[in-house]
Amino acid sequence: MTKHHRFLITLFAGLLLLGGISCSTPQKAEVDLIPMPRSVEYHRGAFTLSPETKFYTQLPTEGKEALARCLEGTLLGSVPFADEATGNNGISLNLCDSTVVPEAEGYRLEIGKKGVTLSASTEAGLFYGIQTLLQLLNNGDGKTLPAVTIDDAPRFPYRGMHLDVSRHFADKEFVKKQLDALAYFKMNRFHWHLTDGAGWRIEIKKYPRLTAFAAWRPFEKLNDWWTGGRTFCDQNDPRAVGGYYTQDDIREVVAYAAERHITIIPEIEMPGHSEEVLATYPELSCSGKPYVDADYCIGTEKTFEFLENVLLEVIDLFPSEYIHIGGDEASKNGWRKCPRCQKRMADEHLASVEELQSYMIHRIERFLNEHGRKIIGWDEIIEGGLTPGATVMSWRGEEGAIHAVKAGNPAIMTPGKYCYLDAYQDAPSTQPMAIGGYLTLEKAYSFEPVPDSLTTGEAALIQGLQGNVWTEYMTTPEHTEYMIYPRILALAEVGWTPAERKDWKSFHTRALHAVQYLQEKGYNPFPLDKEVGDKPESMRTEENLALNKSVTHLYPYSKQYAGEGDQALVDGVRGGWMYNDDRWQGFLNSDIDVTIDLDSITDIKQVYAEFLQLKGPYVWLPKQVIISASTDGKEYTTLATVDNDISPEVETLQFKTFGWEGNAKARYVRYQALSNGIEGGWLFTDEIIIR
């Protein structure tokens, strides 16, 4: 090769680097989309919408009309449908063969200077491609589409949100508004929690008193109802607060969702969380009296007659393949003493009340199967034996889903740690009241729905994930939206985007833009740009004399809230704003009694630990703390006894440090925190610090 040739090659390469000559695809700024597509190829140029732009498609008339309704009020709402393509200035919507786009919800989007081609093998795929177009327009100048080729399809088939309308009723217009947002971010399931102990929300024509009585409470606030006897009242009572959906309302919302390719899964709660039904029809309870039981009586055929009649009307209203039957948190207390339940157990050779619940679940499942439907239930339906056709929704961590898929059952991930949108999303002192927990946008985004412990076959049974909205403290539509957005967007991306394509910094930037868009559309999202962040103490290692020393626990800590295990209280890691961040260590129905070995006799001047209290989830401050020291591990001297001065009735989140200051010599430091004795109560501390 001559010097001249080498010079030309070097010059050519330099021009390429400088952008003077392009013979490859240029890299541009990342597309502003949520969820991020599977594959994006960037090109030069852009396509600009004009008054001449039209949709060209072979969609059937019904499909075109449905799509046009969904586009009303959007930046594509004024683009007309033409019978055939003329010229280059168009958006072509092609229903193609599955060999071109094999995934049912996948699409291929090609944007060039002269037009747009969107291809998919299903109408759902075309719909999601159009949401991508809308986001590109909304996040740009409203008329210009960047030249890109996008090949896209979701990672999981189930990408959902749950909404509890029992504790606080939400009207159909609010529900439809949320469906619009879910569709925009490519979510495809809406789990409608229609019944629970706080209120029945669906018209059942065979049992009109369910909506004439069980849908109404004589209290404005749920907490007042909870502490005031948990009674219901007639709809015409001047004190009545509540509401329900007529069957026409249900049909309207189901049709609205279907046009947005969202399947609505109704939940009819059983056997627990049924106080509202048993107050209305006490003959379905073990005691036969209103306001006594929370669980249906499994020993009477009247229960099954009632539930089957209800489900027949539900089946008629909802075309969903699945019906959610709840199954969670049944106390089972009445069953243990009920003669009818005990007889049922004897007749069916059932060894426990867990098996009695399983008997009911199996029987309801057979009924639904006979009518062409399948069941989903919370992970408690595993107890007593899981039927082959059931799908498990795992909320108490990931273990329920793991158990299910190892048994060959499908599962949906919705663990509270990552998916419960009723948790605080920022520093609690800056936020409206929440039930507890601390779930930031970043934590929700970090969720990986497929545990490493699963085989490839087991992993394939993880159908997807769901964000859950429980409304104990969400008394207004604005508050509910504040808790939903933007965290549901993190779960939308987790459910759609390949794991290797996820990028927190990129997502955070895109989420800031999405929050602005939602605000412009009349939603009330959490203002992400004003996020305070985690507790400052949790951001640093706490250097102190106890760091990494040996610690002995007299009473075991909870496996559910173990922190880093045996060394959690001396690992230098302080807890954040809430007990569920894997840094606090929890003790259930127990004192805390730990002894730290400093290795040698040491001068100490300070011993302290911090605790938190939140009444809703039964997390309490200790009644008293006793701090003692010893040089030999046998004889201890009490350094301090500190009493708690904060009432357990305080509703808001409380932090309190219990400690001692002075001068002492010690090799062993004993720290005792005494429970206040409330059954089901927790103590949480994060670190014992010695200076």
Side-chain angles (χ1 to χ4, degrees), residues 93-119:
L93 309 179
N94 295 331
L95 272 177
C96 62
D97 190 89
S98 60
T99 57
V100 180
V101 181
E103 299 92 345
E105 295 179 297
Y107 64 92
R108 179 177 175 86
L109 178 62
E110 299 167 281
I111 303 175
K113 295 178 181 179
K114 296 182 178 181
V116 176
T117 300
L118 173 59
S119 303

Side-chain angles (χ1 to χ4, degrees), residues 254-274:
V254 167
Y256 192 86
E259 288 192 344
R260 287 151 183 79
H261 298 275
I262 295 173
T263 299
I264 296 184
I265 298 174
E267 180 176 352
I268 305 299
E269 184 76 55
M270 62 185 84
H273 287 289
S274 299

Side-chain angles (χ1 to χ4, degrees), residues 422-476:
D422 52 345
Y424 290 102
Q425 59 192 314
D426 200 4
S429 62
T430 70
Q431 298 302 297
M433 180 69 75
I435 196 167
Y438 182 59
L439 177 61
T440 63
L441 182 68
E442 183 174 10
K443 181 124 186 190
Y445 190 74
S446 73
F447 181 43
E448 170 46 55
V450 180
D452 292 338
S453 61
L454 300 183
T455 67
T456 301
E458 290 164 351
L461 289 170
I462 300 292
Q463 300 296 292
L465 73 163
Q466 176 174 284
N468 287 347
V469 182
W470 299 98
T471 61
E472 279 93 338
Y473 292 95
M474 302 176 204
T475 59
T476 66

Side-chain angles (χ1 to χ4, degrees), residues 167-186:
R167 290 166 179 82
H168 286 103
F169 180 68
D171 65 29
K172 67 179 180 182
E173 296 306 321
F174 176 84
V175 173
K176 289 160 69 175
K177 184 181 178 187
Q178 310 322 308
L179 292 172
D180 286 338
L182 294 180
Y184 185 71
F185 296 105
K186 302 186 177 72

